[in-house]
Amino acid sequence: LFQRPVHCREEMTRWRWPSSARSLRSAWWSITPPRAMTLGRRLWAAVREQPIACAMFIAGCALRLAFIDLKPMWYDEAVHFVMARAPLADIPALLHSLKLSPPLYFFVMHGGLALFSDPKFAMRLFSALCGIASLAWAFALSRRLLPRGFLFAFALQCLSPYWIHYAQDGGSYSLFLLLSLASSWVFLDCLERPSGARFVAYAALAAAGLYTHYYFIILLAGQAVWCAAWGRLGERRWMPWAAAFAGAAAAYIPWLPHFFIQQQMLRGAN
């Protein structure tokens, strides 16, 4: 049963039959593909290294998925559903009058609604998945910025009523949180280990955040101030940062006419 080639570090060189119950574990690793074996070992190492954090993560996931379909759809979710199910070409025009928001969330949900028969469950499940992914990014950021107190910070994030509420709400706020955390991580990577790929990823996340919520500009402004105050930035290191911010701004230019129309509609309503 266990006669399989053994995945050695260098190459597969021999065959082995397990002779006792103690060798069952080694036999399992011998029949497991190298990639899956590496992933499994990394996950098991993470559980052994941070069992409390893993327990809090599981609790946070359960809180975001529990009773997700219990509450009835409320007004904002109904408006989001009406706009998301409209044709893609009509969504910007609907946003002029129904919602003061960028279009990325509604474009994503337009495809997500086609996968489920219940639109309320589809919108809330997407928010819950974004909330769960946000917990992973939040743990990484907390451990990076607060090496001694990251467990307390992560506990607050897992149990935050605001994070749980928006993870069960059919809106763009959970996606906004996810993009904010991912952008902050990549921003720190660009500061500490700059590379072209990291700056491209940062520009892409910045553009996606701007297309998700208008308040994302506040995060970008804070990151720009932090970047300007970073003492190790020389003249040459300013160029990739300028290119990243310019790339995000250039990607946002097509939406600017719609943004000004929304502002005019808002002034007329007031």
Side-chain angles (χ1 to χ4, degrees):
L1 176 63
F2 293 100
Q3 186 177 6
R4 297 290 190 276
V6 179
H7 295 284
C8 301
R9 292 186 178 181
E10 293 82 7
E11 59 181 352
M12 295 185 297
T13 58
R14 60 189 177 88
W15 295 72
R16 182 177 62 184
W17 287 83
S19 57
S20 64
R22 182 177 297 180
S23 61
L24 289 177
R25 180 181 177 183
S26 60
W28 162 254
W29 289 116
S30 68
I31 63 175
T32 305
R35 292 183 179 180
M37 179 177 62
T38 303
L39 178 61
R41 286 180 175 177
R42 287 181 179 180
L43 291 175
W44 178 243
V47 172
R48 293 183 62 183
E49 182 182 359
Q50 297 294 338
I52 299 177
C54 291
M56 290 190 295
F57 178 76
I58 294 174
C61 295
L63 290 173
R64 282 151 180 79
L65 294 173
F67 310 110
I68 192 174
D69 200 32
L70 184 61
K71 297 180 293 183
M73 182 181 292
W74 66 298
Y75 175 77
D76 275 9
E77 288 179 324
V79 173
H80 297 164
F81 166 63
V82 169
M83 290 188 292
R85 73 171 182 176
L88 292 177
D90 296 340
I91 291 178
L94 289 174
L95 287 172
H96 295 167
S97 56
L98 294 179
K99 187 73 174 179
L100 185 63
S101 175
L104 180 60
Y105 170 77
F106 304 101
F107 288 159
V108 174
M109 284 312 306
H110 181 83
L113 291 176
L115 303 177
F116 298 90
S117 58
D118 186 358
K120 179 181 67 173
F121 178 78
M123 293 190 298
R124 291 180 179 177
L125 179 63
F126 176 75
S127 297
L129 294 178
C130 289
I132 292 173
S134 298
L135 284 182
W137 283 106
F139 172 76
L141 273 174
S142 300
R143 192 175 182 182
R144 186 172 189 172
L145 299 176
L146 301 170
R148 295 183 178 180
F150 70 92
L151 283 178
F152 178 72
F154 188 55
L156 293 179
Q157 294 154 359
C158 291
L159 303 177
S160 171
Y162 296 101
W163 285 31
I164 296 173
H165 170 75
Y166 287 117
Q168 295 186 339
D169 180 71
S172 61
Y173 303 107
S174 189
L175 177 61
F176 172 44
L177 174 63
L178 173 61
L179 292 174
S180 300
L181 294 171
S183 171
S184 299
W185 175 271
V186 178
F187 171 78
L188 294 176
D189 269 355
C190 291
L191 284 177
E192 298 173 0
R193 299 185 299 272
S195 68
R198 291 187 174 92
F199 281 108
V200 171
Y202 176 74
L205 289 170
L210 290 174
Y211 273 98
T212 301
H213 202 284
Y214 290 131
Y215 285 171
F216 198 86
I217 189 65
I218 300 176
L219 176 63
L220 292 182
Q223 292 173 349
V225 172
W226 192 338
C227 177
W230 192 261
R232 292 184 298 175
L233 280 179
E235 294 182 358
R236 292 184 178 180
R237 293 194 176 183
W238 278 105
M239 296 181 63
W241 284 107
F245 284 113
Y252 195 69
I253 288 177
W255 183 249
L256 286 180
H258 302 282
F259 171 75
F260 292 130
I261 293 175
Q262 287 181 340
Q263 296 300 315
Q264 293 175 0
M265 297 292 293
L266 180 62
R267 292 173 186 173
N270 291 335

